[in-house]
Every structure is written in structure tokens, then in C-alpha cells.
Amino acid sequence: MQGQYFKATQAHSPYDVVAWHGNYVPYKYDLTKFCVVNSVSYDHLDPSIFTVLTCKSTRPGTAVADFVIFPPRFAVQQNTFRPPYFHRNVMTEFIGLISGHYEAKKEGFMPGGASLHSMAIPHGPDTATVKRESCRVDEPERVAEGTMSFMFESMFQMKVADWALNKDGKVDENYYKAWEDMPVTFTESE
């Protein structure tokens, strides 16, 4: 906790009870059974449509934690950019890849990998995805096939442990290069 290991012992299991109150019970959920909601007209909808579980906060529009997945699904929107778009959040996003490839960064983001986007930090698809998807024909297609990625979103700042940043040797020091050759698509008007 807070970057430190700790040990706690107790004489009994927290599950050694006669009954549970409310929804405080351990639960195993098969993410492949999640029924995906999606746009059937235009525009890539906000990722909150993929929320599996949420822990509400006292502030409307924010959560202590949302657990979101990006499972295989159909994309049928027309006249729009289908992958996750460029944005900034009022909440912090921690995105991880369980299997397959992440639809907004197919190269370099491997299963078991994760990235942290703190609140107000701009982020979005890599250059290769933008170039590929900007030229795509608008036809219905299956996306994220064989893939499962997740996101924890929270109104709180998240801190990466020192071990993860400095000691495990797995930080991608060139991650930022995925956006270096981004094509300029807007010009100043006169």
C-alpha cells in the first residue's frame, strides 16, 4: 500500500460469515459474456458504454472506480473515425491488455502491458492507426477479434510504484514515438 509492502494476519477468514449484506460478496465474472453496447449510426461513443462495474462516488459524473472492457464487437458507424479518438479526461485512465492487440496501438502494446493516462493528459491512437483508419472504407466490420483489453477509470490520481518505473526493466522508453509522425489534417484558414 502506498508503495510499501505490508503484512496483516487475522484469526479467521473474512468470508467466514453466516450471510452477506448487499452486494459485498466475492464474485467471478466471465468478461466474454459481457453484452456490448455500441453506436449503430455515427461516431465512436464514449468508452463508458463498456462499463462492467462501477463504484460510485458522491460527485455526479465521476466514480471512485469504473471497470471497463473493450471486447470483440461489430463497428458499423459511417462517416466517422472508428478507433478510440484523441481526448483528455477529468478522470484518470489505467488501460491494460489481457490478450490480442489494443485497437488504438497494434504495435508495441503487448498482452500484460498497461499505460496510465492521468487526468487532463491528452492521448489517443498511434500514428499507424490514424493513417490506416483515415483511409478505411465505411463498411461494417468486426473489431478487436481475439482481443480483450480493460480500463480502470477513477476520479483519483493514480501513482505508479517506483518498482514498476525503475526496477523491473519493462518501461517502454520509446512509447512517445508512436505519435511522432502524426499527419497534419487541419490547416489555418485565412
Side-chain angles (χ1 to χ4, degrees), residues 31-101:
L31 296 177
T32 63
K33 297 192 183 311
F34 181 73
C35 182
V36 180
V37 175
N38 210 340
S39 173
V40 293
S41 55
Y42 61 90
D43 248 351
H44 176 91
L45 298 179
D46 185 87
S48 62
I49 63 169
F50 302 118
T51 301
V52 177
L53 298 168
T54 191
C55 176
K56 297 190 303 184
S57 75
T58 57
R59 294 161 131 180
T62 63
V64 171
D66 283 334
F67 176 62
V68 179
I69 63 169
F70 304 107
R73 61 198 178 278
F74 282 99
V76 299
Q77 306 91 326
Q78 293 182 324
N79 303 316
T80 193
F81 184 73
R82 290 182 183 171
Y85 45 77
F86 293 95
H87 63 285
R88 291 191 296 181
N89 301 336
V90 296
M91 298 193 10
T92 297
E93 293 179 350
F94 177 77
I95 297 176
L97 184 59
I98 298 169
S99 62
H101 60 271

Side-chain angles (χ1 to χ4, degrees), residues 23-190:
N23 59 1
Y24 298 119
V25 60
Y27 187 77
K28 181 178 177 182
Y29 182 78
D30 182 352
L31 296 177
T32 63
K33 297 192 183 311
F34 181 73
C35 182
V36 180
V37 175
N38 210 340
S39 173
V40 293
S41 55
Y42 61 90
D43 248 351
H44 176 91
L45 298 179
D46 185 87
S48 62
I49 63 169
F50 302 118
T51 301
V52 177
L53 298 168
T54 191
C55 176
K56 297 190 303 184
S57 75
T58 57
R59 294 161 131 180
T62 63
V64 171
D66 283 334
F67 176 62
V68 179
I69 63 169
F70 304 107
R73 61 198 178 278
F74 282 99
V76 299
Q77 306 91 326
Q78 293 182 324
N79 303 316
T80 193
F81 184 73
R82 290 182 183 171
Y85 45 77
F86 293 95
H87 63 285
R88 291 191 296 181
N89 301 336
V90 296
M91 298 193 10
T92 297
E93 293 179 350
F94 177 77
I95 297 176
L97 184 59
I98 298 169
S99 62
H101 60 271
Y102 184 60
E103 60 191 285
K105 190 174 189 312
K106 293 186 187 223
E107 300 297 323
F109 195 54
M110 313 249 240
S115 70
L116 179 64
H117 306 123
S118 295
M119 48 185 78
I121 300 298
H123 56 283
D126 65 6
T127 302
T129 302
V130 170
K131 288 179 178 178
R132 181 182 61 253
E133 294 296 317
S134 296
C135 299
R136 181 187 39 75
V137 176
D138 279 343
E139 292 181 2
E141 66 180 327
R142 194 88 171 128
V143 295
E145 196 64 49
T147 293
M148 181 64 73
S149 50
F150 69 89
M151 177 174 70
F152 284 104
E153 193 170 50
S154 176
M155 63 187 279
F156 298 110
Q157 286 283 12
M158 294 181 199
K159 180 180 176 184
V160 179
D162 182 59
W163 175 86
L165 283 176
N166 302 312
K167 296 182 181 139
D168 80 340
K170 304 284 188 209
V171 173
D172 182 357
E173 300 290 342
N174 296 314
Y175 190 74
Y176 70 94
K177 290 184 178 181
W179 295 273
E180 280 188 331
D181 298 326
M182 190 65 65
V184 175
T185 56
F186 294 97
T187 58
E188 286 186 36
S189 60
E190 296 181 19

